[in-house]
Amino acid sequence: MSVRGSLRRHRFIGTAVSVSAAIALAATLSACADDGPPKKAYTVPGSLCGIAVEPALVKAVLPGGDSLTSATQKPNGGTIRCNLYVDDKLVLSLAQAWWSEGKTTAAVSPAYPGTKDGTMSEDERFIYSGQAGVGRTVPSCKTSEHPEQDLYVAVETRDSGIDDPEAIEKLLVAYTKAVEGSPACR
């Protein structure tokens, strides 16, 4: 065989190996693509513990799973917590908590560790990170049960693997506005 024929044969074998390697890599990558995040097979209701909220905003901060349940918790006289569970695991807590009048969002946020090093909104009503956020309701949000207090809202993911500041901010702002329009502020 001539040198030229030998080179052609090596190029052909090299090309065949390259094509085989590319096919194997593509198969591997497509198999990995199917191993994406677990599917969110549950439906998020339009109201969580009595507060209307856009289901898509809630779903954006939840992990995958088959079932979603919620439960209301009142740990003290000034806090109402709506806990969400995916497949019986606590993954999100939405809270309403009354704090002494005049506190700032920056002063309240340390009570919610997930907000550490969070981003403060320009109006200083909201602080949020990829896992949690705190929002202050409007000053007109008052009730006779809490006359000299301000109502704050907190959104906290719980060991769910979620780290999405934009999704937390959107849910926090929407949930705060929903609380402002609810009986909690009348």
Side-chain angles (χ1 to χ4, degrees):
M1 180 183 279
S2 71
V3 171
R4 191 178 217 167
S6 178
L7 285 175
R8 279 191 196 134
R9 184 169 175 242
H10 285 287
R11 278 192 205 143
F12 175 75
I13 292 172
T15 303
V17 169
S18 296
V19 170
S20 296
I23 291 171
L25 179 61
T28 302
L29 291 176
S30 93
C32 291
D34 293 339
D35 292 339
K39 184 178 177 190
K40 298 177 182 182
Y42 47 80
T43 300
V44 177
S47 176
L48 296 172
C49 303
I51 302 294
V53 63
E54 177 64 39
L57 296 176
V58 177
K59 202 167 198 175
V61 300
L62 295 176
D66 294 320
S67 67
L68 175 71
T69 56
S70 65
T72 302
Q73 182 184 32
K74 296 180 180 181
N76 59 48
T79 302
I80 297 173
R81 190 172 288 130
C82 183
N83 292 323
L84 276 66
Y85 301 83
V86 170
D87 298 338
D88 298 321
K89 179 183 175 192
L90 178 61
V91 294
L92 182 67
S93 181
L94 305 167
Q96 302 168 43
W98 291 95
W99 286 76
S100 299
E101 197 170 43
K103 292 268 188 194
T104 64
T105 304
V108 171
S109 67
Y112 304 92
T115 63
K116 185 178 180 188
D117 300 323
T119 300
M120 179 73 74
S121 64
E122 282 188 32
D123 62 4
E124 298 185 356
R125 282 185 60 200
F126 304 97
I127 188 167
Y128 57 90
S129 70
Q131 299 87 33
V134 173
R136 185 181 73 233
T137 61
V138 292
S140 61
C141 180
K142 297 287 180 194
T143 66
S144 58
E145 295 88 25
H146 304 281
E148 294 183 18
Q149 294 182 313
D150 293 325
L151 184 59
Y152 282 82
V153 170
V155 172
E156 298 176 279
T157 60
R158 305 290 180 126
D159 193 30
S160 64
I162 301 297
D163 189 0
D164 189 340
E166 185 178 329
I168 293 290
E169 178 190 22
K170 286 179 182 178
L171 175 58
L172 175 65
V173 171
Y175 191 68
T176 301
K177 289 181 180 183
V179 168
E180 290 169 345
S182 77
C185 283
R186 294 184 206 126

